[in-house]
Amino acid sequence: MVRQERAVRTRRLILEAAASVFDEFGYEGATIGEVVSRAGVTRGAVYFHFASKRDLAQGVVEEQFVQDGVPERGCKLQEFVDTGMVVAYLMPRDPLLSAGARLSLGQDVFDDLGGGAIPGWISRLEALLVAAGERGELLPHVVPADTAWLVTAAWTGVQIQSQKLSGRADLERRAAGLFQHLMPSIAVPGVLGSLQMGPDRGAQVVAEVAAARAAEGAEAQGGARGEARGGAQSGARSAARVVANEVGVG
């Protein structure tokens, strides 16, 4: 178990180092040697987890789908908006997301990685739109597959233009503007009025997730302490009964 946990940590360390290298140099300019240097591991450790630079790039692209930073909502269109806004918040802050975007859009690697993260985002948004349709949140003309494709393309364009013009400094504001323009053509009026689409929405959701995880951690620690106390008390009672029996008491 300890060895397995160590392997998971090492793999994550390598992916984070690789993300910073791919984000800085692109796919062609990145080298395994630079990844080894930044991760502080051996070349053998890198090749134990990833057979080639292509596999390493694929791992960076796929890692962004491993942990979901958006809570499940009763309103699926809010979850749809939250997904885009959380990515807008994290993109300038998370090298894995930033590198995933560069690898997905770079002409030197696009064909090799089969579109990078783009198909995964289209699929995720389509699933949310299908669920929204089942709840009666969509206007009658909305086709989830088509809308997911178009919204992903539009979001990608916003990300590229923000990167070119401001180094992503205005990405959250621009992403919010995108949703504010698009959602009236997707959501029924009753749902549209309740959607939160402000520029700070991504930060709010990230803070919400962090607070929930902290509460879960505190609860788990409290439960562990309670079990330890209960075990100690049970052990003390058992010991007392043994002593009592030995001296003929009770």
Side-chain angles (χ1 to χ4, degrees):
M1 182 64 69
V2 173
R3 183 178 299 174
Q4 183 179 14
E5 291 174 354
R6 187 183 301 119
V8 170
R9 288 195 300 269
T10 300
R11 185 179 187 277
R12 176 72 183 189
L13 186 66
I14 293 169
L15 283 173
E16 290 176 348
S20 69
V21 174
F22 285 128
D23 200 28
E24 183 175 345
F25 298 106
Y27 182 76
E28 288 297 330
T31 65
I32 295 296
E34 184 64 24
V35 174
V36 167
S37 176
R38 295 194 186 190
V41 299
T42 65
R43 187 175 292 265
V46 173
Y47 282 115
F48 174 80
H49 292 280
F50 304 97
S52 65
K53 185 168 77 169
R54 183 200 179 282
D55 284 350
L56 190 52
Q58 188 69 49
V60 169
V61 168
E62 293 174 352
E63 186 67 14
Q64 60 194 286
F65 298 108
V66 172
Q67 294 185 348
D68 194 351
V70 178
E72 185 174 352
R73 308 287 187 192
C75 176
K76 288 301 170 181
L77 284 185
Q78 184 64 66
E79 195 173 335
F80 180 86
V81 171
D82 287 352
T83 298
M85 292 307 301
V86 165
V87 174
Y89 173 81
L90 293 177
M91 183 74 73
R93 299 169 172 86
D94 186 344
L96 280 165
L97 273 175
S98 183
R102 178 163 183 171
L103 290 169
S104 299
L105 300 172
Q107 295 301 313
D108 56 348
V109 70
F110 186 88
D111 293 337
D112 198 30
L113 293 182
I118 294 173
W121 286 118
I122 294 174
S123 177
R124 175 171 292 191
L125 294 183
E126 181 181 352
L128 288 172
L129 289 171
V130 169
E134 293 171 349
R135 289 165 170 76
E137 299 175 10
L138 300 181
L139 291 170
H141 69 272
V142 175
V143 178
D146 293 344
T147 301
W149 195 100
L150 288 169
V151 171
T152 302
W155 199 103
T156 300
V158 167
Q159 189 274 134
I160 293 173
Q161 193 146 306
S162 175
Q163 170 67 28
K164 294 291 186 182
L165 298 179
S166 72
R168 298 196 184 113
D170 65 350
L171 181 55
E172 292 169 82
R173 179 167 64 88
R174 298 300 183 181
L178 173 69
F179 283 113
Q180 289 162 11
H181 278 76
L182 292 182
M183 296 312 290
S185 66
I186 296 172
V188 298
V191 171
L192 180 63
S194 69
L195 294 179
Q196 298 182 50
M197 299 182 283
D200 59 349
R201 180 61 184 172
Q204 292 172 354
V205 175
V206 170
E208 175 189 349
V209 171
R213 288 175 178 166
E216 290 175 359
E219 184 178 347
Q221 290 179 353
R225 287 194 294 268
E227 290 178 3
R229 286 195 299 269
Q233 292 170 355
S234 176
R237 287 192 294 269
S238 297
R241 282 195 294 271
V242 170
V243 172
N245 289 335
E246 286 178 349
V247 298
V249 178

